[in-house]
Amino acid sequence: MTEDQLRQILREIRSGALSDDQALETLRKLPFEDLGFANVDHHRTLRQGFPEVIYGAGKTAEHVERIVQSMLPGNHNILVTRASTEQYERVKKTVPSAEFHDVARAIVVQRDMTVRGKGTVFVVSAGTSDIPVAEEAIVTLKVMGNPVEQLYDVGVSGLHRLLHRRERLAAARVVIVVAGMEGALPSVVGGLVSAPVITVPTSIGYGASFGGVTALLSMLNSCASNVTVVNIDNGFGAGMVASLINRA
Amino acid sequence: MTEDQLRQILREIRSGALSDDQALETLRKLPFEDLGFANVDHHRTLRQGFPEVIYGAGKTAEHVERIVQSMLPGNHNILVTRASTEQYERVKKTVPSAEFHDVARAIVVQRDMTVRGKGTVFVVSAGTSDIPVAEEAIVTLKVMGNPVEQLYDVGVSGLHRLLHRRERLAAARVVIVVAGMEGALPSVVGGLVSAPVITVPTSIGYGASFGGVTALLSMLNSCASNVTVVNIDNGFGAGMVASLINRA
Amino acid sequence: MTEDQLRQILREIRSGALSDDQALETLRKLPFEDLGFANVDHHRTLRQGFPEVIYGAGKTAEHVERIVQSMLPGNHNILVTRASTEQYERVKKTVPSAEFHDVARAIVVQRDMTVRGKGTVFVVSAGTSDIPVAEEAIVTLKVMGNPVEQLYDVGVSGLHRLLHRRERLAAARVVIVVAGMEGALPSVVGGLVSAPVITVPTSIGYGASFGGVTALLSMLNSCASNVTVVNIDNGFGAGMVASLINRA
Amino acid sequence: MTEDQLRQILREIRSGALSDDQALETLRKLPFEDLGFANVDHHRTLRQGFPEVIYGAGKTAEHVERIVQSMLPGNHNILVTRASTEQYERVKKTVPSAEFHDVARAIVVQRDMTVRGKGTVFVVSAGTSDIPVAEEAIVTLKVMGNPVEQLYDVGVSGLHRLLHRRERLAAARVVIVVAGMEGALPSVVGGLVSAPVITVPTSIGYGASFGGVTALLSMLNSCASNVTVVNIDNGFGAGMVASLINRA
Amino acid sequence: MTEDQLRQILREIRSGALSDDQALETLRKLPFEDLGFANVDHHRTLRQGFPEVIYGAGKTAEHVERIVQSMLPGNHNILVTRASTEQYERVKKTVPSAEFHDVARAIVVQRDMTVRGKGTVFVVSAGTSDIPVAEEAIVTLKVMGNPVEQLYDVGVSGLHRLLHRRERLAAARVVIVVAGMEGALPSVVGGLVSAPVITVPTSIGYGASFGGVTALLSMLNSCASNVTVVNIDNGFGAGMVASLINRA
Amino acid sequence: MTEDQLRQILREIRSGALSDDQALETLRKLPFEDLGFANVDHHRTLRQGFPEVIYGAGKTAEHVERIVQSMLPGNHNILVTRASTEQYERVKKTVPSAEFHDVARAIVVQRDMTVRGKGTVFVVSAGTSDIPVAEEAIVTLKVMGNPVEQLYDVGVSGLHRLLHRRERLAAARVVIVVAGMEGALPSVVGGLVSAPVITVPTSIGYGASFGGVTALLSMLNSCASNVTVVNIDNGFGAGMVASLINRA
Amino acid sequence: MTEDQLRQILREIRSGALSDDQALETLRKLPFEDLGFANVDHHRTLRQGFPEVIYGAGKTAEHVERIVQSMLPGNHNILVTRASTEQYERVKKTVPSAEFHDVARAIVVQRDMTVRGKGTVFVVSAGTSDIPVAEEAIVTLKVMGNPVEQLYDVGVSGLHRLLHRRERLAAARVVIVVAGMEGALPSVVGGLVSAPVITVPTSIGYGASFGGVTALLSMLNSCASNVTVVNIDNGFGAGMVASLINRA
Amino acid sequence: MTEDQLRQILREIRSGALSDDQALETLRKLPFEDLGFANVDHHRTLRQGFPEVIYGAGKTAEHVERIVQSMLPGNHNILVTRASTEQYERVKKTVPSAEFHDVARAIVVQRDMTVRGKGTVFVVSAGTSDIPVAEEAIVTLKVMGNPVEQLYDVGVSGLHRLLHRRERLAAARVVIVVAGMEGALPSVVGGLVSAPVITVPTSIGYGASFGGVTALLSMLNSCASNVTVVNIDNGFGAGMVASLINRA
C-alpha cells in the first residue's frame, strides 16, 4: 500500500464516504507493511548500500539469474553466496560486470564503491583449509564497503606471525577470526586487541572435530571476554555483523 | 621491567659496559612484557575506564575482599560477577560504597560515572526466568558507562509488546537478546533492527531444553544475519562485547 | 476368518458337532483379527476414504507397481511417498491416471474426490528449501480430501508476509508449519492462531543445524502452547494428523 | 488503546484537527495491539473460556497470589501449573474456592463449568511414575471443559488391560499417551485408534533413558502415523492441544 | 608348542639336561597358548561345529578367498558376513559348494548339517527394511545348526499378525527381534514369551532415528525384563548368542 | 472371565438363549484376557516359581508393604528392587521372614528354595564400586533358584585373578559381567568362555565416563561375539535374563 | 605360588613322584601369577619405588585405613587420591607421618625420598579453578620422585606470564597442562616446547563447557603435534604418565 | 631479522645515530621472531633431525610438490601425511628418491638415517582395519629415527598372541596401541608394561562405534594409569609424541 492509497483513505474518512464503523474496520485491517513495518528490510538495504543477499546453494542457475535480474533496477551491490560456476556462467550472460570469487564461492555485482566502514576489519584465519570461509567473510566485507586486512595460516602453536602483525591487529575496529580444529586462535587474538572479535568455527578437521562442533564449543567458552560466535562455516554472517559494527 | 631499566641498558651499550655479544644476549632475553606486550590488559583497562572483573563463583569471601582491596588505588570501577551475599557482606566492610545487585548476582564499586557509550544498548529478554542473566548484562553495561534501555518478558508467541517498542529498539546502537526455551526471539528482533544483535542463551527451560543447548543451537542458526552468540548464561560477556561496540 | 466361518462354528456348537471342550478350544484359538481387532486398519481406510500409503524409499519399481496393482480393486485413493521417477514410470504403465508430484516426491492415484475435511488446513513454510517437505504434507492433505491453503518462504526475520495473511491463517482449522534452521517460525505462528499447530522440522540448514535436530529441539521447546511436533522431514505424518483433526 | 480512542482520532480527522500529514503519522504509529493484533491472546481466552495459565515454578507464593488476584475480575477459570503447596496456601487465603491437585502439582480456580469439548479425551499412561504428568494433562483438560477418561499403568509388555478398554479408546475424539522408559506405548495405541494421538515423553526411567530423551526419540519415530509429540513432561501442553482439537 | 615338546621338556628335567634354574626359566616362559589358553578359540570351534567367521567388509576378494581356502582342511562350516558378490564369485571358483545369501550379504560353505540347537529360534522383524539384518541372523543360526522360524513385517501399530503367531512364538527357546525406527516391538514380544529375547536395533529410519540410536536406546530401556541388546545392525551377533543359548 | 463363564455362554448358544447375532456379538467382545492372552504374566510366574518383582524406587513404604501383602497368598518368592531401609522396616512388620540385602538395595521374601537353574551363573565385576549392581544381579539370581559363583574387583589391567579362575568361569552356563569406566572386561571374559555373556554397564566413573555411556558403548562394540547388553546399572535385568537362559 | 613351590614340583618330576601325565596336567594348570605374569604390578611397584595408589572416593575411612595399614610393611610411598579429611583423620591415627594435601584432596605417606626423574616436570594450569587438578598431578609427581616446577593462572588471552617463563618451560623434560573452559592453552604451550605435553581437561566452566567435554575435544584436536590427553580431571593419570616418561 | 641487522642497531645506538627515544622505540618494535621466539619451530626441526610435516589432504599435487621443493636445501627428512598417489607421482618427478607408503598414505623423503630413539617403540593394533593408522604411526616413527617393532591383529577376545610377545612388549621404551570398536586393548596392554602407552582410537567399526567415539571414550576411561590418548585416526600424532619421549 502506497502513501497515496493511505491519503485516499483519509479523504474518504473526511468526505464521509467511509462511515465510522467502516473506517474502523479499514484501519484495523491495514496491512502491516503499510505502517512501515514491512519496509524494514528495504530501508535497511537503502541505508546501508547493500541490496540483497542470495543464498545460492540448492538454487538452479536460472533461478539465481532471474533473482539477480530483478535486482538490477536499483543501483546497489548484489551478492550471491555459496554460488557455483554454473550459476556464475548464467548470471554473467545477463550482467557482464558480475565477478566470481571461486575460493569464496561468491558472485558479486559491485556497482556502489562507497567506503562505508569507519575503520578497518581484520580477518585472521588459522589454517589453509579455513581460507574459503575467511574469503566469504572478506567478499562480504568488501561488497559492503569496508577496508579489509587479512592474515592467513596463523597457527596457535606458532604465534610469531600473529604477534608480528600485532599493531595492525590492534588498530582494527573489528576483528574476525576463522578457525577449525581446536578453535584456540580466538582466545589468543581476543587477548591482543580490545576491539570486538567475531569468530567463525569451520567444519575443517578430522577425528573428534565433529564437523566444527569442537571449534564452536571452544569459541563459546573462550576466556577472552570480547569474543562472540556465529554459526559453523558462516563467513557471510561474520562479514555482515562486522560491517554493521564498523558502520555504527 | 620499567622504562628506566631499559634506558639503563641503552646507557650500558653506549658506554661499552655491555659488549656486542652481551648486548645481543640481553636484548634476546628481554621479557616480553617489557616490550609493551604484557601491558595490553592494563592499557585496555585504563583506556576503557574499566579496571578488572572478578569471577566470584568458587572464591571465598576473603579472597574476593582481598582482590577488591588491591584494586582500590586506581580510580576505576570494580565488578564482581556471580557473587554471593556473603562475599558482598565482606567487601562492604572494606568498601562501604560497594553495591550488591542481587538479581544479577553482582557486586559493583562504581567510582567512574563517565558515559562512554556513543548510543543506547537495548536489552530484551524473553521470560521472567531469563531476568538474572539480562540483569548481569545490564550491570556490566552500566559499570562500563553505557546508557541502557530494557524490555522484559517478551514472548515470541505474543509479539505486540516488542512491536510496540519497535522504534526505541530500532534507535539502539547495539541490542542484546536474552532467551531460553526455543530461543526464537533473536530472529524476530534481528529482523526489526539493523544494529548488531548479541544473543545470550539461558539455561532456563524444562524437558528437551537441555540446559540452554536448544536455545544456543537455535540462535546459532538464526535466519537473521545480524546475530552473534555468546555462551549460555553469559550475561557479562554480552555486556562486555556490547560495550566495546558502543564505544568504537 | 469371515463372519460366515464364525456362523458355521455357532452351528456346529448348536448341533453338537463340537463338544464343549472342542468348542472352548476353538474359541480360545480364534485368531484375533476375526474378533475385529485385526480389521482396524481396514476399517479405518474405508471410513476415511484413504486406502493405503506405500513408503517408496528403498523399494524397487516393480515392487511398488505390484503393491499399487493389488490395491486397485477398491475405489479409494493411493499414495506412494518418497517415490522416484523410475517408480512412477512403472506405476503409470499399469495405472495411467497416476500422477507424480516431483517436488513432494509422491505418486498419487486419486479416484475419490470427496471433501472430508471440515475446514481449511493452512501450510506455512519458512524457506525455499523446506518446500519439498511442505509439498509432501500438501499432497497428503489433498489425497485425504482437505481444502488447503499455503504460504511459503516466510522468514521470522521478515514477518510482514505472515502478518499480512493473518486473517486467513486465523480462519484455518489446523495449521502445519514446516521449518529448518532455528525453527522459530512455529512459535510466532502459534501465537497468531488458536488452532492446533503441527510442526515439521526439516533437515535443511548448515553449520550447527545438525540435520534438523536444532529445529526439532526448538519446536519441542516452543513457548506457544498449541504446538506439537512430528519427526524431521515427516511431511506425510503432519498431513495425516492434520487430516484426522480436520475430519473429527 | 480502546475503540473510543480510535473513534476520537477519526473525529479529529474529520474535523480537520489532524492535518493529513499528522493523520498519516498518527496512523503509522498506531500501536499494533490497537489494530487487533495484540488482542489475540485476550480474544482467544474469551472465546475458549480459558483465561490465563501461570507457570508456577520459580515464582514466589506472593507473586502467584498477586497474578491470580489480578485475574479475578473476569469470570473464567485459572490454572497454576508446577505449583507448590506454599503457593496454594497463599492463593487459598484470597480465593477460598481454589483447589490443589497435588499429584498434578496444579492450583485450579474453576468458575466456568461449561462443557466445551465435543467428545471425550482419553489419557493413557504407561507406569505409575508417569502419573504426575498424566494428571497435569487431565487437570488441564478439565479446566478447559473436556470430558475425560483415563487408563493408568498400561505396560507394553502386558497389553491386555489396554485391549480390554479398546472400544472406549476407539470412541475417544483425542488420545493422550504419557510414557517414559522406551516410549513404545504410543505406537501400540496409535494402531488401535484413528483419532489423533498426542504423546508426552516423561523423564522417568534410569540408565540410558537420559531424562526422557529415549522416550522422546522413540515417539518421534513411531511407526503409527497419527502420532505427534510435545516436550518431555509437558502434560499441560498435551492437555492444551487436545482441548483445541476437541473444540474445533 | 605341542604336547610332544612339553613331554620333551619333562624328559630333560628328569635327565638333568635342564638344571633347576634352567627348568624354572623354561617353565616361566612357556608360551601361554601351550597351556591351553590360546586354544580356547580352536576348542570352541571344534566343540560347537562352527569353525570361523570372516568379517568380509573392507577385505579384497583375494583375501577372503585365501582365508576360506586355509579353512578347508577342517570339516566344519564357514561363514563370511558382510560379503560382496565379487568376494562370492572369487570364493566360488575354489569352493563350488559355497552359497551366497544376497539379502543377508553372507557367503556360506555348509558341510556340517548336524542340528545342534535344542529348540527353535524365532526371528521377528518389524519392517521390510529390517530384513537384511534379520536374514544375517537367520543365516548365522542355520550355519550353526538351529531350527529357525521367522515372522517379518510385524508393525507395533498392527499387532494382529504377531498375536496370530503367539503360540509358535511362545514355543521358541530363544527369540530374536530385529527393529529400527522406534524399536517398540521388543517390549511387545518380550511380554508375550518367557524365553530370552535378543534384540537388534537397525540403522533403518529417517529423521530423528539417528542411524539406529533411537531403536538402540528404546531397546535398552525396554520395560520387558527378558530383553537384551546387541549392536546396531549386528544380526550375526544376535545369531551367535541365540545359538549359544539354544545349545546350552 | 473364568472357564465357567465361557461354558455358560456355550450352553446359552446351544439352548438358543443367545441368537446367532447375539452370540456373534458376545464372541466378538470376549475380553482378550479370557482367551489366555491376559494371563501370560500370571502363567509365567507360576511356571517359573517367581511371582512378582516390585520396583521400589519412588514408592512409599506403605505402598510397598501393601503390594507385598497382596502377594502373600501365593507361595512364591517376592523381590523388591531399589528398596530403601524405610521400606524394609515397614515390610518386615508384616512379613518377619523378609530379608534386606543392603548392598544390593533389595528386599527378599524367599519361600520357595527350589533350584531351577541347570548350571551355575558366574558374576564377574570390575571394580569395588560396581559391586551394588553385581549384588542386585546375584540377589535376583538366587531368588530365582540359580547356583551362583562370583568374582569381584577384576581389573583388565591386572588380568591374573581372572585367568586364575578361568576353569570355573568356563564351566558356567551363563556369565554376567558388570563393569563401569571403559567397559573392557566383557571382551576379555567373552574370549575366555563359550557361554552367553550378559554385560551390565555401570554408572560408576568420572571424567568422560558420562554416567555409564562409555561402558555401554564399549560393550555394544565388543569384539567378542557372545556378548549382549542390558541397560546401565540394570543388575536385576541381567539376573532375569541369565535365569531364563539357565532354566531353558 | 612361591619359587619354592615351583622347585618342589621340579623335584617331584625328577623323583618320579609326578608321572608324565600328572606333570603335564600340573604345568597346564599353573596359576598365571606363578609364571611371572601376575607379578607385573608388584614388580612395577618395586622397580619404580611406588607401591600402590588408592582411589579414595566412595570408600569408608575405615576401609582406607585398613588398606594403608596393609601396605606399611614395605618401605615405599603411599598415595590416596580423592581423599576426604575424614579419611585422613583416620589414617593419621595409624600412620602419624601421613600428610594431607587438601587442595589436591590427597593423603601421602612419603617414606622414600629418592629422586627418580631425570629432569623437571613442568605443570601449567589455566585458571584458579583448575588448581585442584593441577595439585593432584603435582602430588603424584612428587610422591614418585620428580623435580617439579609449576605456573598457575596462565590465561591464553594474557600470554605474557607464560612467555616470561618460556626458557624454564623449554628446559622441562615433560610438560603437563591443566585447563578447563576452551582448553586452548595446550596448543600454545605445545608450540613453545619440544617435550611431550600431557594435557588434562578439567570440568570447570559454565554454559557450553559441558563438564569438561569442550576442553577435552579442544585438546584432542590440538594443532600442536606433541600433545596427548588424559581423562577429564585426571590429574593423577597425568602425573603417572609424566613420571614414567621422566624415568625412561 | 638477522643477527647482522641486530648488530647494526647496536652500532647505531653506540654511535648516537639512534637517540635514546628512537632506540627505545626500535627495541619495543623488534619483531618477535628476531628474539628467538619465532625460531622455535626451526630450532626444533634442526635439533631433532625432522624438518617439516605436510598435511597432504586437500592440497593439490602441485602445491605439495612446491612445498617439498622448498624444503630440499636442508638435509633433513620430509614427510607428507594423508597423501594421494597423484601427489606422489608429482613429487617423484622432482625428488626421485621419494617413497610412497600406500597403506599409511604417506610420502617420505628419507635423507637422514640417524637413529635418534634411545629404545624401541612397539606398535600394537587390534584389527586388520586399524592397520592404515598403525602404519602412519610407524612411518612417522621411522622417519624420525626410531627402532620399531609391531604386532598386528591382536584381539582382546584372543589375548594369546599378545601375551606371547609380552617380553618384547615389556622391553619397549614407548608403546603405541591402535584400536577401533570397543577400544579395550589399551587397558590390557597398559597392564602388561610400565612404559607410557599412547593410544589411537580409529574410526573403524559399525553400529554404535560412532566413527571412533566409542573407542576414544573407552581409552580415556582406561583403568590402566599409564595410558594417554591422541585424536581419532591420528597415527602421525602418536608417532610424533612417541618419538619425543624416545629421544628424551
Side-chain angles (χ1 to χ4, degrees), chain B residues 156-157 182 184 187-188 208 218 221 223, chain C residues 156 182 184 187-188 191 208 218 221 223:
Chain B
V156 171
S157 63
E182 85 269 58
S187 293
V188 176
S218 186
N221 285 281
C223 53
Chain C
V156 170
E182 86 268 55
S187 292
V188 175
S218 185
N221 284 281
C223 52

Side-chain angles (χ1 to χ4, degrees), chain E residues 57-96:
Chain E
K59 294 204 174 66
T60 64
E62 288 78 5
H63 197 184
V64 171
E65 185 198 19
R66 232 180 10 246
I67 303 178
V68 170
Q69 275 177 325
S70 75
M71 294 168 176
L72 287 178
N75 203 29
H76 21 66
N77 297 329
I78 300 170
L79 169 64
V80 188
T81 63
R82 308 287 160 111
S84 64
T85 11
E86 195 196 344
Q87 289 169 346
Y88 172 62
E89 295 304 335
R90 185 89 181 205
V91 168
K92 195 165 182 57
K93 284 181 192 158
T94 312
V95 193

Side-chain angles (χ1 to χ4, degrees), chain C residues 51-68:
Chain C
E52 190 85 55
V53 181
I54 306 156
Y55 182 67
K59 294 203 174 67
T60 64
E62 289 76 4
H63 196 185
V64 171
E65 184 198 20
R66 232 180 11 245
I67 303 179
V68 170

Side-chain angles (χ1 to χ4, degrees), chain G residues 23-173:
Chain G
L24 272 176
E25 197 55 22
T26 302
L27 291 176
R28 210 186 291 276
K29 287 191 175 165
L30 274 184
F32 281 74
E33 59 270 43
D34 296 338
L35 296 173
F37 180 63
N39 295 319
V40 165
D41 278 345
H42 185 56
H43 284 161
R44 193 197 299 176
T45 296
L46 295 186
R47 186 169 64 250
Q48 295 175 355
F50 193 72
E52 189 85 56
V53 181
I54 306 156
Y55 182 67
K59 294 203 174 65
T60 63
E62 288 76 5
H63 197 187
V64 170
E65 184 198 22
R66 228 172 23 237
I67 304 179
V68 170
Q69 275 177 326
S70 74
M71 294 167 179
L72 286 179
N75 204 29
H76 21 65
N77 297 329
I78 300 170
L79 170 64
V80 188
T81 63
R82 309 286 160 112
S84 63
T85 11
E86 195 195 344
Q87 289 169 346
Y88 173 62
E89 296 304 337
R90 186 87 181 207
V91 168
K92 198 168 179 54
K93 285 181 191 156
T94 313
V95 194
S97 68
E99 290 178 12
F100 190 54
H101 299 254
D102 61 343
V103 177
R105 292 156 301 168
I107 303 170
V108 173
V109 182
Q110 185 116 17
R111 301 184 289 185
D112 173 2
M113 312 296 272
T114 322
V115 173
R116 291 164 202 278
K118 294 182 182 164
T120 296
V121 180
F122 206 114
V123 179
V124 186
S125 79
T128 48
S129 44
D130 302 324
I131 292 178
V133 178
E135 286 289 319
E136 189 181 73
I138 287 174
V139 165
T140 304
L141 287 166
K142 288 190 173 158
V143 94
M144 291 186 72
N146 296 279
V148 178
E149 279 187 68
Q150 71 202 66
L151 179 58
Y152 282 0
D153 214 356
V154 177
V156 171
S157 63
L159 289 173
H160 55 283
R161 294 191 59 225
L162 183 66
L163 297 178
H164 193 53
R165 293 281 288 276
R166 191 160 47 88
E167 286 187 41
R168 296 293 315 147
L169 198 60
R173 205 150 175 269

Side-chain angles (χ1 to χ4, degrees), chain D residues 156 182 187-188 191 208 218 221 223, chain E residues 156-157 182 187-188 191 208 218 221 223:
Chain D
V156 171
E182 85 269 56
S187 293
V188 176
S218 185
N221 285 281
C223 53
Chain E
V156 171
S157 63
E182 87 268 55
S187 292
V188 176
S218 184
N221 285 281
C223 52

Side-chain angles (χ1 to χ4, degrees), chain A residues 11 19 42 62 69 75 98 126 169:
Chain A
R11 271 192 296 275
S19 71
H42 186 56
E62 288 76 6
Q69 274 178 326
N75 204 30
L169 197 59

